[in-house]
Amino acid sequence: MVVPTYRNYFVTLAPTIHRYIQTIGWANSENQLLPGAAAITDRWERYYQGLAQFRELEKVYDASLDIEKEEKKIFLLAAKIFFYDQTQQQVDLHGAIPWSEAGKLSSNGGNYAISYPKYDKAEDIYTAMLDDLKSISTELNNITPPSTVLESFKTQDLINSGSIDLWKKYCNSLRLRMLMRVSQVGSFSARTTQEINEILASPTIYPLVLNNDDNIQVDIFNNGSDINSSGFQDALESWNNNIAGKVMIDHMVSNADPRLPYMFEPGAGAAPNEYIGLDQSLPSSTQSTLIAGTPTEPSKIAIYNRSTYSRNQNFPGILVTASEVRYLLAEYKARNGNPADARTDFEEGIKASIDLQQRIRAVSNNSIVSAPTPPTATQINTYINNIGWGTNNIQLIAMQKWLHLNIIQSVENWSEVRRLDYPVFAFRVEQSDTQKTPPAKWNLPQSEIVYNGENYNAVKDQDNVNTKLFWDLN
């Protein structure tokens, strides 16, 4: 679920999240806003496979000698940070999930009868993770593993290559993300203010990801290994899952966005540098014709740049970027009476996002689309000036976040669109559609009803796609 794989993009994201927030265009169909069972099941199974591995790590760690625990604690702390990152996404998709008692069949000696996990409330999971992440942040500031352990950690750390400094930044940036997600919830508001102010007041104690050199990501070094992005091509290009949407294209074109030629390429029938997005208000038959084109007049609809995205076999698995953190800081400061600093973070976020697109293109091993000419400082500043600052600043931040996350961090993107209620999208709805608006969350998988029925029944009344998450207040 980190590096771009075929099943995650083709089965899970393309027919669901990418449509709900129109980061792609597609030919409309009946009941297109209902999350499909395959998408839900795939994501659910991948998460719980990872959770089971994490529980096994906890089991081994707990059984170790005290001196070994102390020496190797960095492994557990790092695993927790990544586990909490993935857990936040799972909670933001479903709400209440089995968590605190999940994945403990091995710890329970293989006793199935006592291993069916209860459901934890979404807000309780957030609280537990925020509590632990704060403790982990403190522990990372005081940890000094032996050199032999550090060498082993460096070899096995696929995310930060053994850098404890980057794990600190990952930890605190994840805290910031989670705190902002719940910042408008009354029971969390005081905590949010206190902890974010602590982070801002002590940047050396609570460092954040503030430039792209520190981005938290899984880099691809060998596409012949199990960690690869080779399935990205079929995932996006099959069934036209790489079509550009009109809302995104129109915004980028009208404001001279320097990211445009990195993110998209003109349709085969379009003029050079002509970018046209698919209009989702059109009938399906019209859209299909526009997408397909004809032998004499190929499609003019833009697609995601194949050399930057789908055919870039070195496309990294991105977890946290400087732009995301800058936009979170900009929002917090804008809401708390510091518009000048908010503007600085906002503009730095845009610059970092433009730079990230160039970095992703630079590692590509594909050149079917020529590399764009890097934007000048003048072009970047022109774009920033076109965007403006001073009116509807939260919406400006939300729009930039949506553009930046696009299809790279899809779950995070959908969560922020739901939380901020921006950008706003129009959908074509048919009379026969049983779901006429994008869902507020996903259903729970059928397997829970079949195999964990007693615990499922306790949350059955919440298992509705229109039941909002606790942080989705508007």
Side-chain angles (χ1 to χ4, degrees), residues 331-399:
E331 180 191 347
Y332 179 75
K333 292 171 183 178
R335 292 186 186 277
N336 289 275
N338 192 351
D341 283 355
R343 180 175 185 172
T344 297
D345 280 313
F346 174 67
E347 294 181 355
E348 288 300 317
I350 293 173
K351 292 175 183 177
S353 182
I354 295 169
D355 177 59
L356 180 64
Q357 286 295 325
Q358 295 177 75
R359 289 174 181 239
I360 293 173
R361 179 63 180 83
V363 301
S364 178
N365 60 345
N366 181 274
S367 57
I368 191 172
V369 182
S370 298
T373 301
T376 64
T378 299
Q379 289 173 313
I380 294 171
N381 288 330
T382 297
Y383 175 66
I384 290 173
N385 291 332
N386 288 342
I387 296 301
W389 179 263
T391 305
N392 297 324
N393 291 333
I394 302 301
Q395 290 187 357
L396 291 178
I397 295 167
M399 174 62 79

Side-chain angles (χ1 to χ4, degrees), residues 115-243:
S115 298
Y116 295 105
K118 70 171 185 177
Y119 280 72
D120 295 272
K121 293 180 180 178
E123 47 266 64
D124 291 344
I125 299 174
Y126 260 78
T127 299
M129 292 194 297
L130 282 169
D131 288 346
D132 205 17
L133 284 169
K134 186 174 183 179
S135 298
I136 291 170
S137 177
T138 300
E139 288 190 85
L140 287 174
N141 282 325
N142 297 299
I143 197 167
T144 309
S147 58
T148 54
V149 172
L150 270 180
E151 199 60 35
S152 176
F153 181 57
K154 182 178 180 180
T155 301
Q156 298 182 54
D157 179 8
L158 301 177
I159 297 174
N160 291 319
S161 301
S163 171
I164 295 179
D165 285 341
L166 286 179
W167 280 103
K168 292 177 185 177
K169 293 176 181 180
Y170 188 4
C171 178
N172 289 301
S173 299
L174 180 58
R175 288 177 64 203
L176 178 65
R177 176 196 291 171
M178 294 180 63
L179 288 165
M180 286 304 297
R181 187 67 45 78
V182 300
S183 60
Q184 303 301 305
V185 180
S187 58
F188 284 90
S189 59
R191 175 178 193 159
T192 294
T193 301
Q194 178 185 347
E195 293 194 18
I196 293 181
N197 285 343
E198 287 176 352
I199 291 170
L200 293 177
S202 304
T204 57
I205 298 174
Y206 304 112
L208 297 167
V209 175
L210 295 176
N211 63 77
N212 284 331
D213 288 339
D214 292 340
N215 285 352
I216 310 302
Q217 61 188 49
V218 176
D219 291 317
I220 307 300
F221 298 106
N222 178 8
N223 270 280
S225 72
D226 290 338
I227 301 173
N228 65 77
S229 298
S230 57
F232 204 11
Q233 178 175 343
D234 282 346
L236 281 194
E237 296 181 26
S238 298
W239 289 24
N240 300 308
N241 286 324
N242 60 352
I243 296 295

